[in-house]
């Protein structure tokens, strides 16, 4: 039998391409139709590791990618939304969630793939409503997934008659570790364990590979998929790196345990196949599902140990910026509006302290250009945005209780103060972007300009810090000093602008550097304005 190798390769590669785009479209479509609730699911349902496992399964089913869920989790750990122990639960759940696609593939609807694909495409083109388009996108992805599989299958059909391939599968049966390595390498290349499992299902369906050779490849697929989360953890916080490495260790330990239990596990899957009358694709899906569920059950009690191992592997103190509010308990709302306002004020002060910490990190970034300072400032800005939403919601709840006149005035002042603190975050974020622009365009500031900026930063920082302290202590004296300092900030800004124009006229400084310098100055001046607003709220000058 002559094999047209070129045709085989083209069909196989084309099939993989369509399959991968199918998974992406399906995941994106489901994600859009689910709205932006994925982060919320992970944030809300991870109070303990068991709920974390369930949240991991749910989100992975929605976005059709365990590495996607892990990347989301790495981001949440990086932002302080989630502890490492909670993240480990989510990662375990993601491994179970990713098996759903293999079960879908096991349902033999390949013959309808082009029809599903067409319905999806027409939905995308003929409807304007975003939610319907998102469903169409998911359908288009679903159809592409099966169409890609059909192409891959026809591309792989001649493989079983190739002597070299037969020899390879025999050696995989004799040496299971070889199967693990092949599965790992192939998944790292394709960047999708779902795709490699789809290929495995196709090979097994055509009798090109035996069950005892196929199962170790499954273990390897799970190891290979962890590479994405490791890539996502480059340059992020220590805790996020730990979350990514947990994904690797979890799958390595799982593969090691199940290689030792390979004979009983293969017999169990063979038993399932005969008793449930499973087709070949569904058999592989059951093997994948059983492996991931069993691996999670075995390792779940050792989450603490896993956390300890990665903490040793990735040493270092982690700076966690806690996005979540600490003082806003709904129980205070029922007890007394005065108590609830006190709690809200504590949270606003905490938010204010983040604001001047962020400003300090921004100043450090301007002087050192160390990306760590920028990352921390951006994390703080994210925390400010989140606290702004949470405290505002809490204050809205307080407003529905009966407030006295004094409480009402304090409520208004806190509402106003939150907006000002949040705006301080926006302004120092602008400064970070200006520094990035300066670095990427190789713009250099004169020594005099840098000295001027340092003075302006120091004064602005002191002003914001004092404004927050005046709020914390309800200190009218400190609030009055803030208002005087703001006057100094305005004068300093005008003075530095003038000296900058002189430098421009003398040709010491170029236009681009001038724009960066003036924009940083004006952002700092605006931060000063917001500090004054905070002080005025303390003084009751609305």
């Amino acid at each position: 039998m002559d094999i047209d190798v070129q045709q085989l390769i083209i069909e196989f590669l084309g099939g993989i391409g369509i399959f991968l785009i199918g998974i992406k479209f399906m995941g994106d479509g489901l994600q859009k139709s689910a709205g932006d609730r994925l982060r919320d699911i992970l944030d809300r349902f991870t109070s303990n590791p068991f709920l974390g496992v369930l949240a991991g399964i749910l989100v992975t089913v929605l976005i059709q990618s365990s590495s996607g869920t892990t990347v989301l989790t790495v981001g949440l750990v990086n932002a302080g939304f989630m502890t490492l122990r909670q993240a480990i639960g989510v990662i375990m759940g993601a491994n179970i969630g990713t098996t759903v696609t293999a079960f879908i593939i096991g349902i033999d609807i390949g013959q309808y793939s082009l029809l599903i694909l067409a319905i999806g495409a027409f939905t995308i083109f003929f409807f304007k409503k975003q939610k319907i388009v998102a469903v169409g996108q998911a359908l288009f992805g679903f159809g592409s997934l099966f169409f890609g599989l059909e192409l891959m299958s026809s591309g792989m059909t001649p493989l079983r008659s190739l002597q070299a391939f037969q020899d390879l599968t025999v050696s995989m049966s004799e040496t299971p570790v070889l199967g693990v390595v092949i599965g790992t390498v192939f998944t790292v290349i394709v960047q999708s364990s779902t795709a490699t499992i789809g290929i495995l299902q196709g090979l097994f369906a055509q009798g090109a590979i035996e069950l005892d050779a196929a199962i170790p490849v499954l273990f390897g697929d799970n190891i290979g998929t962890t590479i994405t989360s490791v890539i996502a953890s480059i340059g992020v916080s220590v805790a996020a790196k730990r979350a990514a490495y947990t994904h690797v260790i979890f799958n390595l330990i799982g593969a090691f345990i199940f290689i030792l239990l390979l004979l009983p596990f293969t017999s169990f899957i063979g038993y399932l196949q005969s008793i449930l009358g499973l087709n070949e694709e569904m058999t592989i899906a059951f093997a994948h599902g059983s492996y991931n569920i069993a691996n999670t059950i075995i390792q779940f009690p050792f989450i603490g140990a896993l956390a300890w191992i990665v903490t040793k592997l990735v040493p270092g103190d982690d700076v966690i910026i806690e996005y979540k509010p600490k003082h806003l308990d709904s129980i205070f709302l029922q007890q007394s509006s005065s108590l609830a306002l006190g709690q809200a004020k504590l949270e606003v002060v905490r938010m204010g302290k983040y604001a001047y910490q962020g400003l300090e990190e921004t100043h450090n970034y301007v002087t050192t250009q160390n990306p760590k300072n920028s990352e921390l400032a951006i994390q703080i800005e994210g925390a400010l945005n989140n606290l702004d939403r949470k405290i505002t919601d809490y204050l809205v709840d307080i407003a529905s209780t009966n407030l006295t006149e004094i409480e009402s005035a304090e409520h208004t002042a806190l509402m106003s103060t939150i907006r000002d603190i949040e705006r301080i975050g926006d302004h120092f974020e602008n400064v970070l972007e200006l520094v990035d622009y300066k670095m990427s365009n190789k713009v250099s500031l004169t020594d005099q300009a840098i000295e001027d900026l340092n003075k302006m930063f120091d004064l602005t920082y002191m002003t914001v810090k004092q404004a927050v302290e005046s709020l914390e202590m309800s200190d009218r004296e400190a609030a009055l000093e803030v208002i005087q300092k703001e006057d100094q900030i305005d004068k300093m800004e005008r003075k530095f602008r003038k000296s900058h124009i002189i430098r421009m006229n003398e040709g010491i400084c170029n236009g681009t550097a001038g724009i960066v310098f003036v924009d940083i100055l004006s952002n700092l001046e605006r931060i000063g304005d917001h500090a004054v607003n905070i002080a005025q709220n303390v003084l009751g000058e609305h």
Side-chain angles (χ1 to χ4, degrees), residues 290-509:
S290 307
Y291 163 64
N292 276 313
I293 292 167
N295 190 18
T296 298
I297 292 168
I298 291 166
Q299 293 194 54
F300 186 79
F302 305 105
I303 282 182
L306 274 171
W308 182 81
I309 293 167
V310 285
T311 308
K312 290 286 175 224
L313 279 176
V314 185
D317 294 325
D318 203 28
V319 186
I320 285 285
I321 302 299
E322 289 197 41
Y323 273 41
K324 291 183 175 181
K326 283 184 167 181
H327 306 98
L328 309 182
D329 198 323
S330 54
I331 200 157
F332 296 113
L333 293 167
Q334 284 117 38
Q335 287 181 343
S336 107
S337 50
S338 166
L339 255 175
L341 273 173
Q343 294 302 112
K345 183 180 168 180
L346 284 173
E347 203 58 60
V348 174
V349 168
R350 186 170 156 258
M351 187 180 169
K353 287 178 177 173
Y354 271 157
Y356 62 72
Q357 190 187 339
L359 189 57
E360 187 176 26
E361 290 301 329
T362 304
H363 185 194
N364 290 339
Y365 187 50
V366 171
T367 49
T368 65
Q369 292 175 3
N370 182 339
K372 281 213 164 121
N373 298 124
S374 171
E375 280 164 24
L376 191 51
I378 286 165
Q379 271 192 47
I380 291 169
E381 206 278 325
L384 291 177
N385 289 342
N386 192 57
L387 288 172
D388 169 30
R389 283 195 298 274
K390 293 288 194 294
I391 304 170
T392 303
D393 290 347
Y394 193 73
L395 285 169
V396 167
D397 290 341
I398 294 174
S400 60
T401 60
N402 290 324
L403 298 178
T404 65
E405 205 172 312
I406 293 168
E407 286 170 353
S408 190
E410 190 181 351
H411 183 276
T412 310
L414 285 175
M415 274 288 210
S416 170
T417 301
I418 298 167
R419 299 259 24 91
D420 284 304
I421 297 172
E422 195 273 329
R423 293 293 294 142
I424 289 171
D426 292 344
H427 286 299
F428 70 62
E429 189 180 28
N430 292 346
V431 175
L432 294 169
E433 283 166 8
L434 286 162
V435 178
D436 288 340
Y437 172 82
K438 170 182 165 294
M439 284 159 67
S440 58
N441 289 284
K442 299 190 169 48
V443 175
S444 59
L445 297 174
T446 62
D447 291 346
Q448 185 57 52
I450 290 166
E451 194 184 318
D452 290 352
L453 280 182
N454 285 338
K455 284 181 187 163
M456 185 82 171
F457 258 109
D458 289 340
L459 183 57
T460 311
Y461 173 78
M462 284 306 300
T463 311
V464 175
K465 192 167 189 280
Q466 197 162 10
V468 174
E469 284 167 359
S470 75
L471 170 70
E472 187 174 16
M473 303 298 178
S474 301
D475 185 341
R476 295 178 66 83
E477 291 296 314
L480 287 165
E481 281 177 36
V482 169
I483 290 164
Q484 288 162 355
K485 275 206 178 74
E486 207 270 335
D487 193 38
Q488 285 174 260
I489 291 177
D490 287 351
K491 282 180 182 161
M492 195 181 268
E493 195 219 8
R494 283 196 293 273
K495 180 185 161 194
F496 290 163
R497 269 179 191 264
K498 275 181 191 163
S499 20
H500 152 67
I501 291 164
I502 292 164
R503 285 197 296 276
M504 292 263 288
N505 292 339
E506 289 173 356
I508 301 168
C509 172

Side-chain angles (χ1 to χ4, degrees), residues 192-361:
S192 164
S193 61
T194 313
T196 45
I197 288 158
I199 292 165
L200 197 62
Q201 284 173 299
L203 287 170
F204 186 58
Q206 287 158 11
I209 190 168
E210 292 299 317
L211 190 61
D212 57 354
I215 286 175
V217 180
L218 276 180
F219 306 158
D221 292 342
N222 272 19
I223 298 169
T225 196
T226 63
I227 195 75
T228 317
S229 49
V230 171
I231 293 166
S233 75
I234 295 168
V236 292
S237 72
V238 174
K241 273 198 181 68
R242 286 173 183 160
Y245 288 131
T246 303
H247 196 196
V248 181
I249 292 165
F250 174 67
N251 282 315
L252 280 172
I253 292 172
F256 178 73
I257 292 169
F258 278 85
I259 283 289
L260 298 177
L261 301 173
L262 189 60
L263 283 171
F265 184 67
T266 309
S267 308
F268 168 70
I269 298 302
Y271 171 72
L272 277 183
Q273 183 181 19
S274 61
I275 201 166
L276 297 173
L278 303 175
N279 67 17
E280 285 80 359
E281 287 94 346
M282 203 52 108
T283 305
I284 296 290
F286 266 86
H288 190 211
S290 307
Y291 163 64
N292 276 313
I293 292 167
N295 190 18
T296 298
I297 292 168
I298 291 166
Q299 293 194 54
F300 186 79
F302 305 105
I303 282 182
L306 274 171
W308 182 81
I309 293 167
V310 285
T311 308
K312 290 286 175 224
L313 279 176
V314 185
D317 294 325
D318 203 28
V319 186
I320 285 285
I321 302 299
E322 289 197 41
Y323 273 41
K324 291 183 175 181
K326 283 184 167 181
H327 306 98
L328 309 182
D329 198 323
S330 54
I331 200 157
F332 296 113
L333 293 167
Q334 284 117 38
Q335 287 181 343
S336 107
S337 50
S338 166
L339 255 175
L341 273 173
Q343 294 302 112
K345 183 180 168 180
L346 284 173
E347 203 58 60
V348 174
V349 168
R350 186 170 156 258
M351 187 180 169
K353 287 178 177 173
Y354 271 157
Y356 62 72
Q357 190 187 339
L359 189 57
E360 187 176 26
E361 290 301 329

